[in-house]
Amino acid sequence: MTNNPLLQPFQTPHETAPFHLIKNEHYLPAIQAGIDAGRQEIDAIVANPDAPTFANTVVVLERSGDLLSRATSVLFNLNAAETSPEMQRIVKEASPLLTEYGNDITLNDRLFARIKAVYDQRVSLNLDTESAMLLEKTYKRFARNGANLNDADKEKLRAIDKELSQLSLQFGENVLAETNEYVMTVTDEADLSGLPDFVLEAAKKTADEKGLTGWAFTLQAPSYGPFMQYADNRTLRETLYRAYNGRGFGSNATDNQANIERMVQLRYDRANLLGYQTHADFVLEESMAGSSQKVTSFLDELVQYARPAAERQLAELTSFAKSCGFTGDQIEQWDYSYYADKLKKQQLDLDDEMLKPYFKLDNVVEGVFAVANKLFGITVSENKDIPVYNPEVKAYEVFDQNGQFLAVFYGDYFPRPGKRSGAWMNDVQGQRIVNGVNLRPHIVNVCNFTRPTDTKPSLLTFYEVTTLFHEFGHALHGMLANGQYESLSGTNVPRDFVELPSQVMENWCYAPEALHLFAKHYLTGEVIPQTLVDKIRASQNFMAGIATLRQLRFGITDMYFHDRQPTGESVTEIESHVDALVNLFPQVQGTSFSTAFSHIFAGGYSAGYYSYKWSEVLDADAFEFFQEKGGLNAKEVAQKFRQNVLERGGSEKPMELYKKFRGREPSPKAMLRRSGLTL
């Protein structure tokens, strides 16, 4: 134990995780030691002879478990960004231990009795707003996780939670395995027609690294996306599409269909056990939306706006494809990106190849830092003395405008075999105030962007640029957090509120004043010309109806899985029901997007994927406020956003925080205007 770095004080800058010292054999002993320490802390609360108070029960419980959190935060961050078969084995072994430990706390009758005693006195306690929220959240955490169940039902809940944790891990591992294993090799140069040099160079490098002849294309986003967008060979586009959308759907060891059906059933059973009609009812009780009925109505209303626009856009795109030589009646899903890119170039004289020279990764990173500086006064500087978990990762210190240290920020931007696909933000250390000391957060952004080649630096597509800004918005939510309690700090907010900061930041990618800060040609240093900026702004609504329907397809599918009693329908049958409402393309036999839908089956978005569209209403309304008051110069608006959203986390109800920022409730009109979906 004395040699285990996870169990010793971190002798590093800002007490950051000593990734260079931590080995796989350290995790399980540290987790077990953390569990043992946590149990002792809980036992001390329960054994306290004094009458229960907010301070001696709720606050002490909030402060417990630090040793365990330190080990698990490192482990689970790395399992997503830098995993290995050995680490996956460790996580599988640790997860049931952690589930059992969590249940031992929330199902502890004597502990809950003390919490309830405090909760029953809440009106007379005169707590500040944040402390009152902590008391409410703590009570609900126990009540919503079985504290009021009888002993037999508590055991059922334990069994369900344990199985769900294992199934979620297995789902994610299956998707990662199939993503990593697939390679499409092309040896005939004629089959590469249409692909830009940067795609060919990356594919050649991938083939060389894998010991293959020719060019190798994978299911990683920087390989898959450009191939679908540029490759003239329709047969190969179909091949790659089927591989990508067949992940977890192969009737093999990594098939996720049975995992989905079991998880959906267990989530339903768990909700029933706790007194809720469905899993969606359980989840949405604590959301900004408040109910499954409101979410369903929201999604249905957006379909009414989006579908007519999408139908017009698809008809236009099909007609354009035919003018380019397409001979079918209707384009397929593997044709969409290809022809949409060509139509955008024809209509707007714009494509990614025109923009990428202005979006060198290093410049975009410095650009998002510059935007944050303009808005919130923060500065970000690299510190190479902070340990990182991979040489590609950069660690930064973040300071306020007065030079006060705010946070550590890690940027991890390239795909690797040990990293799951997508982009996300995590924290390795959350923010909280203990004994008057403001413990500052350590925040991670993880992405999968286009790698540099032998001849070019990493040049981002515009979508990748918006992704980087999106994830940094989440990072700001974590880094600027300024609450008393970690469980209410930073991004610990309802799912349909957490996307507000991230999506607000995306808007700056379309703002000329922001683009001029960082969009500079990687060879000449020329600032992006206004003509291209105008085209970027014009492209914001390009195919917006189809893009909106795609998002609604995910959200409605999520609700279909979780807002009703499971009927035994297959994953394919469920997708067919949803597709009748929101998918304008022909169904593709042998594919399923649900079997790789990690957001809801390996992440925390079950019955919550609608939140991306919900947050679009918020972010469009919020960004109009910035624009009305001067854009990047709207210091007063930025300060309101920082004080009432970014700093406050979940310390108040989301709608109250939003109204304090905006002065009123959000209006959907801004989102409909921005998307061009008004009828």
Side-chain angles (χ1 to χ4, degrees), residues 151-270:
D151 289 345
D153 284 344
K154 284 181 179 178
E155 289 308 308
K156 290 180 184 176
L157 188 72
R158 286 178 183 273
I160 289 173
D161 286 347
K162 186 174 181 178
E163 187 175 355
L164 278 171
S165 71
Q166 294 289 70
L167 288 168
S168 178
L169 283 172
Q170 189 62 58
F171 185 99
E173 288 180 12
N174 289 348
V175 175
L176 180 62
E178 295 212 0
T179 301
N180 285 340
E181 288 169 7
Y182 182 85
V183 180
M184 182 179 76
T185 304
V186 177
T187 55
D188 187 345
E189 195 165 354
D191 290 331
L192 303 173
S193 172
L195 294 172
D197 288 344
F198 84 92
V199 178
L200 297 175
E201 195 170 348
K204 189 67 176 174
K205 186 174 182 180
T206 299
D208 291 342
E209 289 172 350
K210 293 180 178 294
L212 301 172
T213 301
W215 297 262
F217 299 91
T218 72
L219 302 183
Q220 298 285 358
S223 179
Y224 175 79
F227 192 93
M228 301 304 293
Q229 185 174 349
Y230 297 117
D232 293 331
N233 190 313
R234 187 172 187 245
T235 300
L236 291 182
R237 291 203 311 270
E238 178 181 356
T239 298
L240 203 59
Y241 174 89
R242 287 182 177 276
Y244 186 85
N245 291 279
R247 292 175 299 166
F249 196 66
S251 299
N252 53 18
T254 49
D255 191 303
N256 272 331
Q257 292 175 83
N259 290 333
I260 289 175
E261 291 169 12
R262 183 61 178 159
M263 290 175 77
V264 168
Q265 184 65 54
L266 287 172
R267 287 170 175 173
Y268 176 80
D269 292 345
R270 189 182 193 279

Side-chain angles (χ1 to χ4, degrees), residues 541 621 624 667-678:
N541 290 343
D621 189 65
E624 277 199 355
S667 165
K669 293 179 181 178
M671 187 271 285
L672 293 171
R673 280 194 294 270
R674 185 177 68 187
S675 301
L677 297 179
T678 49

